[in-house]
Amino acid sequence: MGSYQTLFLDRDGVINEERPGDYVKNWDEFIFLPGVKEALGILNPLFNRIVIVTNQRGVGYGRMTEEDLKSIHHRMLREIKESGGRIDAVYVCMDIQADSPDRKPNIGMALQARRDFPEIDFSTSLMVGNSRSDLQFGRNARMCTVLVGNKYTESEKEPALIDYAFENLLKFAEKYQKGL
Ligand SMILES: [Mg+2]
């Protein structure tokens, strides 16, 4: 897998359980996926920067407020930190328009991250996500892409978009730690 400097992570379906057809609207609905805290502890020393990039249309649709989302992320970051992990920044796209430049698969949030952390180089960045839009985002920014989760069957997986695939973030972290 080589030596990567920056880790971009999707949130829903990577860090926490997805709520199909709904949004994570409050902390009670935010459930860490198994092994995620351990995974982030492993990944912490292995990357210069670790950031989350997440589409959250629920705000744009009025299903929750920006304050609700901030509160969820505040607690999420606290728990990650307490368990030895590190997230340097969380980028959120609340826009509902599919063609918003910030909404994955468009790369606005990657550009924001690079603005905040100028050392970020997409050619040494990994994007980990559970959806096609994450993989396409990674491709659009010319990052290495990692699919996690089981959203897609083998025949639905598009090889052109996927550099690596793992069952979950912990499996990825364990493999990455060994250097592949
Ligand atoms: Mg997702």
Side-chain angles (χ1 to χ4, degrees):
M1 209 176 270
S3 176
Y4 290 89
Q5 301 292 318
T6 302
L7 182 61
F8 284 83
L9 297 169
D10 171 41
R11 198 197 78 179
D12 299 323
V14 174
I15 304 291
N16 59 280
E17 285 183 13
E18 277 190 310
R19 292 174 57 80
D22 195 4
Y23 304 97
V24 174
K25 302 180 294 303
N26 54 61
W27 184 247
D28 286 340
E29 295 177 344
F30 187 97
I31 300 163
F32 278 101
L33 282 163
V36 160
K37 289 180 180 177
E38 190 188 338
L40 291 172
I42 293 171
L43 296 168
N44 180 350
L46 303 180
F47 287 91
N48 234 338
R49 294 293 175 197
I50 303 176
V51 302
I52 290 177
V53 285
T54 179
N55 289 344
Q56 294 294 332
R57 264 178 172 169
V59 177
Y61 284 130
R63 298 287 310 279
M64 59 180 154
T65 66
E66 192 172 350
E67 280 311 305
D68 294 333
L69 196 59
K70 278 189 182 155
S71 156
I72 291 167
H73 288 161
H74 183 77
R75 295 189 65 164
M76 173 187 78
L77 292 175
R78 192 170 68 198
E79 290 211 9
I80 288 172
K81 195 173 173 186
E82 281 169 2
S83 56
R86 185 187 96 247
I87 301 291
D88 294 300
V90 180
Y91 298 95
V92 180
C93 178
M94 294 175 268
D95 299 343
I96 55 176
Q97 306 92 322
D99 63 350
S100 160
D102 291 330
R103 184 174 169 79
K104 293 178 289 183
N106 296 322
I107 65 165
M109 289 191 284
L111 299 175
Q112 286 177 46
R114 196 173 61 183
R115 219 170 293 139
D116 292 344
F117 305 104
E119 70 276 21
I120 289 180
D121 178 347
F122 299 150
S123 72
T124 55
S125 297
L126 273 172
M127 173 64 200
V128 181
N130 73 321
S131 298
R132 190 182 189 284
S133 60
D134 300 311
L135 302 169
Q136 189 65 63
F137 165 91
R139 273 289 170 272
N140 289 344
R142 302 188 190 284
M143 298 176 190
C144 178
T145 61
V146 179
L147 175 68
V148 296
N150 55 4
K151 183 176 268 190
Y152 304 109
T153 64
E154 283 308 315
S155 64
E156 287 169 338
K157 289 179 185 170
E158 295 172 68
L161 291 182
I162 305 167
D163 293 318
Y164 300 93
F166 295 93
E167 196 180 323
N168 55 46
L169 192 65
L170 182 56
K171 288 277 198 296
F172 159 73
E174 288 171 343
K175 195 85 174 176
Y176 188 82
Q177 184 182 35
K178 290 182 201 148
L180 279 189

